[in-house]
Amino acid sequence: MNDNKCLYLIFMVIACCVLMAIVEIFIEPVYFLKSAIKFILFFIIPFIIMKKLNGIVFNNFKLDKRSTKKLLLLGVIIYGVIMVAYFITKNIFDYPKLIESLASDQHVTSNSFIWIALYISFINSFLEEFLFRLISFVKLSKYTKRIVAYLFSSMVFAIYHIAMIGEAFPPLLTILSIIGLTIGGCIFNFVDEKNGNIYNSWIVHMFADFAIMTIWYIYI
């Protein structure tokens, strides 16, 4: 029975990612519609399926004041690390051209940037953590070996982002991004494993997006 649930979850995650990639690459709807589709594919469908399989989706989600402070400190550190990395590499990579390409791919303008930045930082980060961490790792690890859940979650997280990156990144940066995303996915899994929730990875993901949006804002 556990094998069936494992395969069922894996198939569901892959199917949702493939459908979202098709939307990202080929259909390219307006941002609001694309966000609504992602909400359905990354939250509604997985939630319903997980509810039928397990009966419980959110558990152990209590957060005390001390934990909140630790998470916020972790987020600030992540933000600082990314910004330092940006200042070190800004003369190596052509960030203005990269941002222009990303803005074109995502249909982002100076007028819509603030709303899209808020969506990416708070909501999109949660949707991805829900699917790639809570479902693909925390829940999947109950039906299979930890190493399988670790590898599947981190690799599908990285591969999915190829569709988001598209041709905006040069080959070298794309390869480095995929490697970094895979390693990042493993780190996200590690920080979530002990408590069995996604608070840690969501905060890290959120502040990483804050940093990316800050860099984006510099050039938009």
Side-chain angles (χ1 to χ4, degrees):
M1 184 62 178
N2 280 356
D3 288 342
N4 290 337
K5 287 184 177 181
C6 172
L7 293 174
Y8 198 63
L9 284 182
I10 288 175
F11 175 79
M12 181 267 293
V13 170
I14 292 174
C16 288
C17 288
V18 169
L19 289 173
M20 194 63 223
I22 291 172
V23 171
E24 291 270 4
I25 298 171
F26 300 108
I27 301 176
E28 296 184 324
V30 295
Y31 204 92
F32 175 79
L33 180 57
K34 182 171 67 174
S35 301
I37 294 171
K38 188 167 188 175
F39 182 76
I40 293 170
L41 290 174
F42 276 44
F43 182 76
I44 298 297
I45 292 175
F47 183 91
I48 292 172
I49 291 176
M50 196 66 234
K51 191 76 174 174
K52 288 183 177 181
L53 284 180
N54 194 31
I56 300 174
V57 180
F58 295 106
N59 60 322
N60 195 25
F61 265 64
K62 293 181 180 179
L63 193 61
D64 56 36
K65 190 174 182 180
R66 183 178 179 184
S67 298
T68 302
K69 289 180 179 179
K70 287 183 177 179
L71 285 173
L72 292 176
L73 177 60
L74 175 62
V76 171
I77 291 172
I78 292 298
Y79 179 91
V81 168
I82 293 176
M83 293 307 298
V84 168
Y86 157 69
F87 285 112
I88 292 174
T89 62
K90 69 176 184 177
N91 293 324
I92 300 175
F93 297 112
D94 189 354
Y95 281 102
K97 185 177 180 180
L98 174 61
I99 294 301
E100 181 181 354
S101 180
L102 281 172
S104 177
D105 287 346
Q106 300 297 321
H107 307 291
V108 179
T109 65
S110 56
N111 292 329
S112 63
F113 172 78
I114 184 63
W115 302 110
I116 291 175
L118 289 172
Y119 164 79
I120 289 174
S121 299
F122 290 99
I123 301 175
N124 186 71
S125 61
F126 171 78
L127 294 178
E128 293 191 0
E129 290 310 304
F130 181 83
L131 183 68
F132 294 122
R133 235 63 59 192
L134 185 62
I135 302 297
S136 301
F137 177 69
V138 175
K139 299 300 183 182
L140 184 63
S141 62
K142 297 181 183 298
Y143 308 123
T144 187
K145 295 179 180 178
R146 284 176 61 250
I147 186 65
V148 174
Y150 257 99
L151 291 176
F152 175 73
S153 175
S154 58
M155 290 178 68
V156 75
F157 173 67
I159 293 171
Y160 162 75
H161 281 83
I162 295 177
M164 293 178 60
I165 292 170
E167 298 179 354
F169 283 19
L172 176 59
L173 190 54
T174 299
I175 293 171
L176 291 174
S177 296
I178 297 305
I179 294 173
L181 285 166
T182 302
I183 295 173
C186 287
I187 294 172
F188 285 177
N189 292 337
F190 178 77
V191 299
D192 283 343
E193 187 172 18
K194 181 179 179 181
N195 296 324
N197 60 50
I198 58 172
Y199 282 131
N200 292 295
S201 62
W202 185 23
I203 289 294
V204 172
H205 196 151
M206 192 186 303
F207 276 83
D209 283 342
F210 287 159
I212 293 170
M213 293 302 105
T214 299
I215 297 168
W216 197 328
Y217 182 74
I218 292 172
Y219 296 104
I220 197 164

